[in-house]
């Protein structure tokens, strides 16, 4: 059954209204009509099965048939990914795959060694694209919520300040020689994690040292030098395996 997301304000006791680009997709791509059934998620963990009551050009009205808890597909480990900006469309793939792996929030990070130099117009366009990718990935993999993507790139320090309350805080650094994820205290059941993954040029030693002021631990991903997109997905997968649901 086709899945769509909406905001809670569009949901009442008996009906759900769908607006925006999903209306065109339902009408012209899927060619659904009155009487067809779809599922609608409210980003709060609830999944509604509805029957389409009217399919208009600007909005779709539907009647609620049933409601169920869909939050069990969300990881018990809330992961906030601080990802260094990368050139080209590389960030697109990182967004898509990290959503599939269960990340909760994504911060684009403007690090000292970022190759990508985006204008404000570029940032706005890319952020809109990343949100669409996150929504489509959430639909595809059966998540009950769309992970948030911060609209404006932050610095390493800003990311650390905003996430210093996380249970586990890691900055992945290729120059770290002694500590890997396996060396962290597995006996603790962490509920939240903040992780920093650098751009193509990695993090500077100054950024790493600055992160440690906020409780971040520099960690290695092994003896091989990984591409940015590989590093992000490897890091998320390992964390999910130890403290999440993989």
């Amino acid at each position: 059954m086709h899945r769509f997301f909406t905001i809670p304000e569009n949901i009442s006791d008996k009906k759900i209204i769908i607006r925006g680009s999903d209306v065109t997709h339902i009408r012209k791509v899927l060619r659904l009509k009155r009487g067809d059934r779809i599922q609608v998620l409210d980003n709060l963990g609830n999944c509604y099965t509805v029957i389409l009551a009217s399919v208009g050009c600007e909005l779709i009205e539907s009647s609620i048939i049933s409601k169920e808890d869909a939050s069990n597909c969300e990881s018990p480990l809330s992961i906030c990914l601080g990802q260094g900006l990368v050139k080209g469309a590389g960030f697109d793939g990182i967004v898509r795959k990290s959503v599939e792996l269960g990340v909760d929030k994504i911060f684009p990070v403007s690090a000292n060694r970022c190759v990508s130099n985006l204008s404000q117009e570029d940032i706005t366009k890319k952020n809109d694209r990343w949100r669409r990718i996150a929504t489509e990935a959430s639909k595809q993999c059966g998540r009950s919520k769309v992970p948030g993507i911060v609209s404006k790139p932050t610095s390493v320090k800003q990311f650390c300040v905003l996430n210093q309350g996380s249970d586990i805080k890691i900055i992945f650094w290729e120059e770290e020689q002694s500590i890997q994820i396996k060396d962290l205290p597995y006996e603790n059941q962490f509920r939240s994690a903040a992780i920093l993954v650098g751009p193509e040029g990695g993090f500077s030693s100054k950024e790493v040292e600055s992160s440690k002021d906020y409780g971040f631990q520099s960690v290695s991903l092994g003896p091989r030098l990984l591409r940015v997109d590989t590093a992000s997905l490897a890091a998320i997968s390992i964390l999910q395996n130890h403290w999440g649901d993989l």
Side-chain angles (χ1 to χ4, degrees):
M1 196 178 299
H2 298 290
R3 283 186 154 203
F4 300 89
F5 287 91
T6 192
I7 56 176
E9 288 76 9
N10 288 335
I11 302 174
S12 66
D13 290 339
K14 296 182 178 180
K15 70 178 183 178
I16 295 177
I17 295 175
I18 298 173
R19 296 183 171 88
S21 60
D22 282 338
V23 173
T24 301
H25 186 70
I26 290 171
R27 290 180 62 246
K28 295 188 176 181
V29 179
L30 299 178
R31 297 185 180 277
L32 300 180
K33 56 187 182 302
R34 179 178 178 181
D36 288 331
R37 297 187 181 193
I38 61 174
Q39 289 183 323
V40 181
L41 299 108
D42 61 4
N43 261 314
L44 298 175
N46 300 305
C47 179
Y48 300 83
T49 298
V50 303
I51 186 168
L52 302 185
S54 65
V55 180
C57 295
E58 296 185 359
L59 63 84
I60 292 173
E61 293 186 350
S62 63
S63 301
I64 297 173
I65 299 173
S66 63
K67 173 185 176 182
E68 60 183 304
D69 183 1
S71 60
N72 60 354
C73 61
E74 295 299 321
S75 174
L77 179 68
S78 175
I79 300 176
C80 182
L81 170 64
Q83 174 62 60
L85 291 169
V86 296
K87 61 184 179 182
F91 207 95
D92 295 3
I94 293 172
V95 169
R96 181 177 292 107
K97 298 303 181 183
S98 62
V99 169
E100 291 178 20
L101 288 170
V103 75
D104 189 60
K105 196 170 187 178
I106 302 172
F107 279 72
V109 173
S110 181
N112 293 339
R113 296 176 180 172
C114 280
V115 176
S116 178
N117 187 18
L118 302 177
S119 66
Q120 186 58 52
E121 183 180 0
D122 291 334
I123 291 170
T124 301
K125 289 180 179 178
K126 284 185 175 290
N127 198 264
D128 289 342
R129 175 175 173 78
W130 295 334
R131 290 177 188 274
R132 290 196 300 271
I133 290 172
T135 300
E136 290 304 315
S138 297
K139 292 178 185 176
Q140 177 270 319
C141 69
R143 292 191 60 170
S144 64
K145 61 181 291 187
V146 180
I149 300 180
V150 175
S151 59
K152 184 178 180 180
T154 64
S155 67
V156 170
K157 181 178 179 179
Q158 287 172 326
F159 178 86
C160 294
V161 170
L162 292 170
N163 292 281
Q164 59 185 320
S166 297
D167 293 340
I168 183 170
K169 300 177 282 291
I170 298 174
I171 182 167
F172 291 95
W173 192 35
E174 66 275 11
E175 294 185 35
E176 174 61 55
Q177 300 296 320
S178 58
I179 299 178
Q180 297 183 351
I181 294 181
K182 65 182 180 180
D183 300 313
L184 299 176
Y186 292 123
E187 64 273 11
N188 294 336
Q189 181 53 57
F190 298 120
R191 294 297 181 185
S192 60
I195 62 175
L196 276 161
V197 180
E200 292 91 343
F203 290 119
S204 67
S205 58
K206 184 176 180 180
E207 287 173 321
V208 174
E209 290 305 314
S210 174
S211 74
K212 293 180 179 179
D213 292 338
Y214 300 93
F216 279 72
Q217 171 67 58
S218 59
V219 170
S220 168
L221 278 170
R224 292 168 294 280
L225 189 62
L226 304 180
R227 289 172 57 94
V228 175
D229 51 352
T230 306
S232 301
L233 304 185
I236 296 168
S237 297
I238 295 170
L239 290 174
Q240 288 283 43
N241 179 254
H242 287 299
W243 299 290
D245 56 4
L246 289 183

